[in-house]
């Protein structure tokens, strides 16, 4: 269902062509009608966002027609502001949010053209527009005096997080976490994107079937995560009588290069504490390796904790470990609601 990040472009062994999970993309939006259930598909029945988040908010941007859907969890601590990959939705972070919300606040935004967000131009996925959207949402939610914020972004969302941090317009920004995207490998994979998108399963008779495909033929390995996040990546096509992707990523090709061009330099120059979560060292381009001492590189759970081969969606597939790394990052850098250490966060790295 959701191809994995652009930075990870290896086909899974033994799978037919067209079911490659390793692009920077994935699909996104909540269908307007419930799916039919059958006994055989019960294990793929959708799960509600409210099992993981505390609230769903509609953030209207003043002076525009743009309204962004945002999921929130937790009431204390700094804000972990999460940005999903292309075609995903904020619900990609659902399982991780439920594991972090007792120690920190979690906000997961549906980006433009994804999930339940609605804008005047849903196809404008240029990096400047996406960056402006995130800054506008944060300002609308918190004004000019926000609590301490840690930006967390996966793939395309990671690029947006870097650009937001590089703009230096968010007051009290204390951290940056980028998941599974590095400029070199991302740029090299762009030539394959249209083929990968075209070869995906395109139509699903039910939401359950889409969830099943995402686990068996797509990038996800955690069934519970698929059950909560996949419905938000779909829309119901009345004329065809089936579910299709909410986000037509194939129509946004002109913006892809802009997501990743110059990303390494921007990441390294961001004046906040930062960390890069990767599925393996093979995704480090030469520039980043040469500047290794300037930031922390933590190999993601795929390498350190050995989750299943072919899986790249760390926040979805291993939410416990992902949440632990985020909380440790906050503790290690003593990030609290007002830039002070949070009592009770355990300082432990790895297992």
């Amino acid at each position: 269902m959701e191809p994995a990040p652009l930075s990870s472009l290896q086909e899974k062994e033994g799978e037919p062509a067209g079911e490659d999970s390793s692009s920077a993309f994935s699909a996104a939006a909540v269908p307007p009608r419930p799916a039919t259930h059958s006994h055989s598909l019960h294990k793929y029945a959708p799960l509600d966002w409210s099992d993981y988040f505390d609230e769903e908010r509609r953030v209207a941007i003043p002076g525009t027609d743009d309204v962004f859907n945002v999921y929130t969890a937790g009431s204390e601590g700094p804000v972990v502001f999460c940005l999903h990959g292309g075609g995903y939705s904020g619900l990609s972070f659902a399982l991780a949010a439920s594991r972090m919300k007792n120690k920190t606040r979690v906000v997961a935004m549906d980006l433009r053209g994804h999930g339940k967000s609605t804008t005047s131009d849903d196809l404008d996925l240029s990096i400047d527009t996406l960056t402006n959207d995130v800054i506008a949402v944060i300002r609308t939610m918190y004004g000019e005096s926000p609590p301490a914020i840690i930006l967390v972004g996966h793939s395309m969302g990671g690029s947006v997080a870097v650009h937001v941090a590089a703009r230096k317009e968010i007051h009290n920004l204390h951290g940056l976490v980028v998941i599974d995207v590095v400029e070199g490998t991302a740029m090299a994979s762009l030539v394959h994107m249209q083929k990968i998108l075209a070869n995906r399963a395109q139509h699903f008779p039910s939401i359950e079937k889409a969830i099943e495909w995402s686990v068996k033929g797509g990038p996800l390995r955690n069934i519970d995560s698929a059950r909560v996040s996949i419905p938000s990546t779909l829309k119901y096509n009345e004329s065809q009588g089936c579910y299709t992707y909410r986000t037509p990523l194939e129509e946004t090709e002109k913006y892809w290069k802009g997501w990743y061009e110059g990303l390494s330099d921007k990441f390294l120059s961001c004046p906040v504490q930062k960390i890069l979560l990767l599925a393996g060292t093979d995704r480090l381009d030469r520039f980043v390796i040469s500047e290794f001492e300037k930031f922390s590189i933590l190999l993601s759970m795929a390498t350190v904790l050995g989750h299943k081969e072919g899986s790249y969606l760390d926040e979805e597939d291993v939410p416990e470990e992902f949440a632990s790394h985020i909380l440790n990052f906050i503790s290690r850098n003593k990030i609290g609601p007002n830039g002070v250490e949070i009592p009770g966060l355990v300082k432990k790295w790895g297992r």
Side-chain angles (χ1 to χ4, degrees), residues 10-22 195-196 198-201 213 216-218 221:
Q10 294 122 348
E11 287 191 31
K12 289 179 281 181
E13 265 190 84
E15 289 187 0
E19 295 191 347
D20 189 313
S21 68
S22 14
K195 180 179 179 181
I196 291 171
N199 287 339
R200 295 180 299 173
W213 184 87
K216 292 182 177 180
R221 293 295 173 268

Side-chain angles (χ1 to χ4, degrees), residues 71-277:
Y71 300 95
T72 66
S75 58
E76 298 181 353
V79 172
V80 178
F81 200 95
C82 302
L83 305 173
H84 59 80
Y88 296 84
S89 80
L91 292 180
S92 293
F93 294 92
L95 271 64
S98 69
R99 290 159 173 82
M100 292 189 285
K101 66 181 183 179
N102 290 334
K103 297 233 169 73
T104 186
R105 285 173 278 183
V106 182
V107 177
M109 170 183 172
D110 288 345
L111 293 170
R112 175 180 295 255
H114 296 75
K116 294 181 180 179
S117 291
T118 58
T119 69
S120 58
D121 186 356
D122 279 354
L123 289 179
D124 181 5
L125 299 188
S126 67
I127 191 61
D128 287 341
T129 296
L130 294 172
T131 300
N132 290 336
D133 289 343
V134 173
I135 292 172
V137 168
I138 293 175
R139 284 179 172 167
T140 302
M141 291 181 69
Y142 302 110
E144 293 301 318
S145 299
I149 293 176
I150 300 96
L151 288 173
V152 178
H154 173 220
S155 193
M156 181 193 78
S159 174
V160 176
V162 170
H163 280 78
V164 170
R167 289 262 292 268
K168 304 177 185 178
E169 295 182 23
I170 299 299
H171 301 304
N172 221 11
L173 180 62
H174 285 259
L176 173 63
V177 181
V178 175
I179 309 164
D180 209 24
V181 59
V182 175
E183 178 183 349
T185 47
M187 293 294 288
S189 69
L190 289 176
V191 296
H192 304 284
M193 290 306 100
Q194 285 290 4
K195 180 179 179 181
I196 291 171
L197 292 173
N199 287 339
R200 295 180 299 173
Q202 300 291 326
H203 306 94
F204 305 96
S206 68
I207 297 176
E208 289 87 348
K209 279 294 186 182
I211 293 170
E212 180 182 24
W213 184 87
S214 74
V215 174
K216 292 182 177 180
L220 284 174
R221 293 295 173 268
N222 187 315
I223 293 178
D224 284 344
S225 187
R227 291 170 69 190
V228 67
S229 70
I230 291 304
S232 65
T233 71
L234 305 171
K235 64 180 181 180
Y236 190 77
N237 187 311
E238 293 282 354
S239 62
Q240 296 183 352
C242 64
Y243 291 91
T244 59
Y245 297 116
R246 148 73 162 121
T247 309
L249 289 167
E250 66 281 357
E251 298 177 27
T252 67
E253 182 176 5
K254 63 183 178 181
Y255 302 121
W256 300 348
K257 184 177 178 181
W259 294 347
Y260 305 109
E261 195 169 42
L263 188 61
S264 292
D265 185 53
K266 280 188 179 295
F267 176 78
L268 293 171
S269 65
C270 287
V272 294
Q273 296 296 325
K274 46 192 171 284
I275 195 167
L276 182 61
L277 300 180

